[in-house]
Amino acid sequence: EKMKKIVYLFLALLMPICSFAQEEAVDPKAKAILGKAVDAFDSKKGISADFLIEIKDSRNGKEETIPGILLLKGDKFKLSLRNVDTYFDGKTQSVFMSNEKEVTISIPEKEDLKDINPILLMKSYQTDYKMRYLGSKKEAGLMVEEVELYPNDLKSQYSIIRLKISKDKLQLKSILLKGKSGIDTKLSIQNLEHKELYDTMFVFDEKKFPDVEIIDLR
């Protein structure tokens, strides 16, 4: 569940950031770079992204790397992390756990939508951050622009969110979430493609998995 929320935060930061509660706390350079990155990101037809989530716990030195795949089209998405596929068709959510051979189907309540709907989550982040531009640097042979976001909510579990955006294509390359608890989480995009995706790809097809137990909470 935590992994999914990290990915949804990543999705939220890909979406338009156009109005902020404290304009004086918004660095114009940072806002301009994010605006251009958003303009270069169009998910109307579809986007496929391969990514890695890296978790580092400074308290015990433990590190973990988790690969994932995301398909996104408007407010629809399919998220694959480990052995769990989450489908969302804009209304119904299906969480398929292949190891347990079960799928849980639900229609989220309005107050819960922010946890599963990137679009609604995005709207909450439009007013929740201060930001500043850190500059450009070369990383792995690629010039990137760096921007930092600072949550206005002092109760946020993150102290800093650092984004890196490619200077040439203005594509988001990574997000680093600095946790107040000592746990840092980095999401790095390995490959991102604009491609045509069909609505059926965001719906769990029960016919393909006849032996799966269906837990219907609708």
Side-chain angles (χ1 to χ4, degrees), residues 9-15 17 30 33-35 37-38 129-137 139 144-150 160-166 171-178 185-187 189:
L9 175 59
F10 148 68
L11 288 170
L13 294 169
L14 284 175
M15 304 301 176
I17 301 173
I33 288 172
L34 285 176
V38 166
Y129 292 97
K130 303 177 184 70
M131 63 171 62
R132 72 176 176 134
Y133 174 63
L134 298 183
S136 59
K137 61 186 291 188
E139 190 172 272
V144 295
E145 305 272 22
E146 289 188 288
V147 173
E148 278 190 345
L149 303 181
Y150 309 93
I160 297 173
I161 299 175
R162 185 175 299 144
L163 298 88
K164 293 182 181 179
I165 299 166
S166 65
Q171 287 185 347
L172 185 63
K173 302 303 293 182
S174 68
I175 296 176
L176 175 64
L177 304 149
K178 301 285 290 184
T185 304
K186 182 179 180 182
L187 188 148
I189 299 175

Side-chain angles (χ1 to χ4, degrees), residues 38-78:
V38 166
D39 289 342
F41 187 92
D42 182 359
S43 64
K44 290 179 182 178
K45 288 187 176 181
I47 284 177
S48 174
D50 299 311
F51 60 87
L52 289 178
I53 292 177
E54 301 168 76
I55 303 171
K56 295 183 179 180
D57 191 335
S58 61
R59 299 169 299 182
N60 53 29
K62 288 186 177 180
E63 298 184 11
E64 184 178 13
T65 300
I66 304 165
I69 300 173
L70 172 71
L71 302 179
L72 174 67
K73 180 182 178 183
D75 62 349
K76 302 176 179 66
F77 64 87
K78 178 187 175 184

